[in-house]
Every structure is written in C-alpha cells, then in structure tokens.
Amino acid sequence: NLLTGDNGLGKSFLLDIAWWALTRRWPAEINPKLTTGRKALPSEVGEASISFSFTAKSKREEYQSTFARREQSWTGRPGRPANPGLVLYAMADGSFALWDPHRNYWRTQGELDIQERLPAYVLSPSEVWDGLASSDGSWLCNGLIRDLASWQKENGDAFKHLKAVLKVLSPSEDEILTLGDLTRISLDDVRDIPTIRMPYQKDVPVVHSSSGMRRILALAYLLVWAWQEHQQAAKQLGESVAPQITFLIDEIESHLHPSWQRSIVPTLLSVMGQLDKHAKVQLITATHSPLVMASVEPLFDAKQDAWFDLDLCQGEVALIQRTYEKQGDVVNWLTSDAFDLRSGRPREYETLVNEASSLLMQSTPDKAELQAMYLKLLQALKPTDEFLFRWRAICDKKGWLS
C-alpha cells in the first residue's frame, strides 16, 4: 500500500493512526523521547472519532473510538486488544516501534489482567544504535552496535540472517553491503564497533557511515532483531510464530541514492518473505519519490495492492484511492496525480516552454520574437528535448523560421 501527498497533508499522521489502531498506543506515549508519533488531538471543538478495521489472528476487528475531551484520550474496549500479528513501524526520523504478539500481548481473566507486559518496543534514533533500557536498568534491546558486534563474534544464525538481509538490501549486485572487521574508535569507548566494507575495500565504522547506509543498516538490524526475538519468545511460550506481519514505513526513500530508491520496496518485500515464507506480509509506506512509485510497477497487483493519495479538494484534505496505472518512466510519475508537477524541468525552463507554447498558438507571431525564443530554447534545453523537436516541426511546417 502506497501513500502519496504534499508535505503537511497527513501521510505520517495516517501511519501513526495505523500503528495506534493495531496496537492501541501512540509511539510517543510509550517513549517520550520521540519527537514524532504523538497522540492525535482533534483540532476543532465537537465530536471526533477514529474508525478502523483489520483482520486479527482469529477474527475481524472493527471499532470506532471517540475522543474523550475531559480525559484527553481515545476510548477503547476493556481488556486486551485484538491480535494483529507482528507490527513494525519505521519512522522518518530514524525512530522505530515494534509490537510483538508474544512479548507485548497480555492475558486477561474476567475483568482482571493477570499478566501485563511492555505495551510495545519504541526506540528513539539514538536508542536504535545504543540500546533501549527499561526503568529498572535492564536492557530491552541491546541496540545495533552491541548486537551486531555480538552476532559477528558468535557467527550464528542471527549473523547469517543479517548478512543475507544486507545482501538483499544492497543497492546493486556490483555493490553488495558486507560487514568488515570489528574496531575501536575511541579510548573512552570500550565497545567493539562494527564496520561496513566500502566498495573501495576500506572498513568504515558504522557510526561514521553515510546517512543512506545508516538507514539501511538500521532497517536490516531491526528486521533481524525483531524476528530473532519473536522466534525466541515463540519457542519459550511453546507457540507458533505470528502468521501476519504489518510493516509501516514513513518516507521509505529517506537519505537513499536514486539507485537505492528504485530498489528499496522490491527488496524489502523480498526480505520480509524470507523471514517466513508462510507469513502474510502487508507493507504500508509513505513516499515522496517518483522512483519508488515507478519501482513497484512490475509488482503491483490491483487485486491486493492499493495507492492512496492525499490531496486538497475545495480547501479540505481528502484521501483518494487512485487507480495505479503504469507510467513507464520516472518523469511521467512526476506529472501524475501522485506529485502533480507540470513537468520534470526546472521552474525557469518550465516557464520558458509555456511562453514558447503560447507563442506557437498565435496566428501570425513576430519572426524576430520567434527567433529570439528559439535561441533561448537552444540555451535552456538539451538538443534532443521533445519540445525542441515539436517547436522545429511546427515552425518548419508554417515557414516561420525560414
């Protein structure tokens, strides 16, 4: 499922709502360190409600929650919520949230909770890397740096899975992401720091890697960590792994080079399928990238996939399910309903082309003006530009530039 729309229309808001509907807690409510994922608050006086439905483990869940202004909270059913399966949420700022039915679900007996667990694992960007501690000082998540170093030393299943995931998430077959040797970066930091082996055969500490690589490393780590811990919990409880996985990703293209943007959705779907071949995986992602929209053309199945676009209609924000039609090219996606641009040209050149088009529509344009415009077009556009071909063809046909 793809979400598009201009800045400020509510893509992140919708993903927060989806997380809340599945887990019944807001990310920042669980971890106040987050700067995103805060509780949705009605902007106007009057009744406000959120309606949602999803297929849970054993039944379909449908509910309408209303906002109780005196309590400043959204109403919910008593007892435990429905079990939606494994839910992962990668936020645009690098925060991450995980709801695990084996580790975050609680049992009830009559009206009393007999066992209550952590409502979800919600990590700020720094906690993704350095670990998440509980209120009593114990570690809920070791973090990327410690876990990667530990997995590499053990060279067990977790490390094998991580290497496989990094290989799949690599930008191309010629640039495979691999981990290098562990290192130390400071006399004051006694941790072994994982490194990423660069294409030029140098090992760079992960904390010094580029924003794009850090984004991919974090996604790879969190996927492996979530799945490893879920399997461990299932084994301890004597239960099967979750049959459903919902993955929410905000700005999936964040920090990524165009070559990576073009492959990130297909590769992530491939990775999720590798976690469990029998799992039902649903991906819901918000994007500003025409490359992302173009990349799913070979995969999009209208029977089960959807594209939703947020747009302004008569001064109000509307969520519209668009018909996903293949555009065949990134530039065509720029001018589609997803991004609403008039062209893929710079604004100045777009204005110049519009002026030239208006000039061509005149019955008897001034030849000097035509010649001056032609020179401007030659300076602005590449020689093979489609508009230049059209301009020459019309002018030759009418004998304006002879």
Side-chain angles (χ1 to χ4, degrees):
N1 293 270
L2 303 162
L3 288 171
T4 59
D6 204 351
N7 290 331
L9 295 186
K11 297 186 299 298
S12 300
F13 175 74
L14 282 177
L15 290 174
D16 288 345
I17 292 283
W19 165 267
W20 172 84
L22 293 167
T23 69
R24 306 310 302 275
R25 298 291 292 271
W26 302 99
E29 182 183 12
I30 299 170
N31 188 340
K33 295 178 183 177
L34 266 61
T35 57
T36 59
R38 298 187 181 279
K39 181 194 300 181
L41 295 173
S43 58
E44 299 177 358
V45 177
E47 185 176 335
S49 64
I50 299 173
S51 301
F52 62 88
S53 65
F54 61 86
T55 303
K57 180 180 179 181
S58 57
K59 63 178 182 178
R60 182 177 177 82
E61 172 77 355
E62 291 190 53
Y63 190 70
Q64 177 169 306
S65 175
T66 57
F67 187 70
R69 293 186 179 276
R70 190 171 295 277
E71 292 80 16
Q72 290 291 288
S73 64
W74 294 92
T75 60
R77 290 188 184 131
R80 62 180 180 175
N83 182 350
L86 203 64
V87 185
L88 303 94
Y89 184 10
M91 287 162 262
D93 67 346
S95 303
F96 187 84
L98 165 69
W99 193 90
D100 186 328
H102 292 333
R103 294 188 288 157
N104 303 121
Y105 207 33
W106 62 90
R107 301 178 181 277
T108 58
Q109 185 175 26
E111 297 296 323
L112 299 175
D113 290 340
I114 61 171
Q115 184 179 9
E116 187 170 353
R117 300 184 182 133
L118 192 71
Y121 296 88
V122 181
L123 292 78
S124 68
S126 62
E127 288 166 340
V128 168
W129 289 77
D130 298 320
L132 175 66
S134 65
S135 56
D136 62 7
S138 60
W139 289 102
L140 299 172
C141 174
N142 292 322
L144 183 151
I145 293 174
R146 271 191 287 264
D147 266 341
L148 260 61
S150 174
W151 295 349
Q152 189 166 351
K153 291 174 185 176
E154 294 170 2
N155 198 25
D157 288 341
F159 189 56
K160 291 176 183 176
H161 289 156
L162 179 71
K163 289 193 294 184
V165 169
L166 283 175
K167 183 177 181 180
V168 173
L169 290 178
S170 297
S172 69
E173 294 181 359
D174 299 326
E175 192 178 343
I176 302 297
L177 287 178
T178 57
L179 294 179
D181 298 328
L182 298 174
T183 189
R184 296 283 178 92
I185 60 172
S186 170
L187 293 175
D188 301 319
D189 191 342
V190 297
R191 295 177 300 176
D192 290 324
I193 305 296
T195 63
I196 193 79
R197 185 149 293 166
M198 305 301 290
Y200 44 85
Q201 299 305 307
K202 295 290 185 181
D203 292 351
V204 175
V206 292
V207 293
H208 295 156
S209 59
S210 67
S211 298
M213 286 191 172
R214 287 168 62 90
R215 171 79 162 169
I216 294 297
L217 279 169
L219 283 175
Y221 162 66
L222 290 162
L223 284 170
V224 175
W225 170 74
W227 191 244
Q228 287 288 121
E229 294 301 323
H230 177 67
Q231 288 181 308
Q232 286 290 339
K235 185 177 180 180
Q236 285 184 297
L237 295 173
E239 298 183 13
S240 58
V241 298
Q244 297 181 175
I245 302 173
T246 304
F247 198 4
L248 312 170
I249 311 181
D250 197 2
E251 294 188 21
I252 193 169
E253 72 281 359
S254 180
H255 301 301
L256 299 184
H257 185 274
S259 64
W260 240 332
Q261 293 183 33
R262 196 171 62 169
S263 63
I264 186 63
V265 172
T267 54
L268 268 179
L269 289 172
S270 174
V271 167
M272 299 296 283
Q274 286 184 12
L275 293 179
D276 187 345
K277 294 180 181 178
H278 304 291
K280 296 178 180 178
V281 181
Q282 184 178 33
L283 177 68
I284 305 175
T285 182
T287 181
H288 291 121
S289 171
L291 283 161
V292 168
M293 295 298 289
S295 73
V296 301
E297 285 191 4
L299 307 174
F300 196 92
D301 180 356
K303 295 179 181 177
Q304 63 178 6
D305 303 326
W307 163 32
F308 298 95
D309 186 41
L310 284 161
D311 218 338
L312 278 176
C313 299
Q314 297 180 345
E316 293 188 352
V317 179
L319 181 67
I320 303 166
Q321 182 171 351
R322 305 279 189 191
T323 300
Y324 186 92
E325 296 178 347
K326 293 182 179 180
Q327 303 294 326
D329 189 87
V330 172
V331 174
N332 293 336
W333 272 108
L334 281 173
T335 57
S336 72
D337 289 332
F339 304 104
D340 300 315
L341 295 184
R342 294 181 179 178
S343 74
R345 297 185 176 94
R347 284 184 177 180
E348 293 82 358
Y349 296 172
E350 184 179 290
T351 300
L352 183 65
V353 167
N354 290 337
E355 291 174 355
S357 298
S358 299
L359 192 58
L360 289 178
M361 294 176 67
Q362 295 179 18
S363 57
T364 55
D366 182 77
K367 287 192 175 184
E369 194 174 351
L370 281 169
Q371 187 63 37
M373 177 59 73
Y374 183 47
L375 292 175
K376 289 181 182 178
L377 291 172
L378 287 174
Q379 291 178 346
L381 307 180
K382 67 177 183 178
T384 56
D385 190 281
E386 183 181 344
F387 184 78
L388 262 182
F389 283 121
R390 270 203 332 268
W391 170 275
R392 293 191 190 103
I394 293 173
C395 288
D396 288 344
K397 185 178 180 180
K398 298 190 176 184
W400 288 344
L401 292 179
S402 56

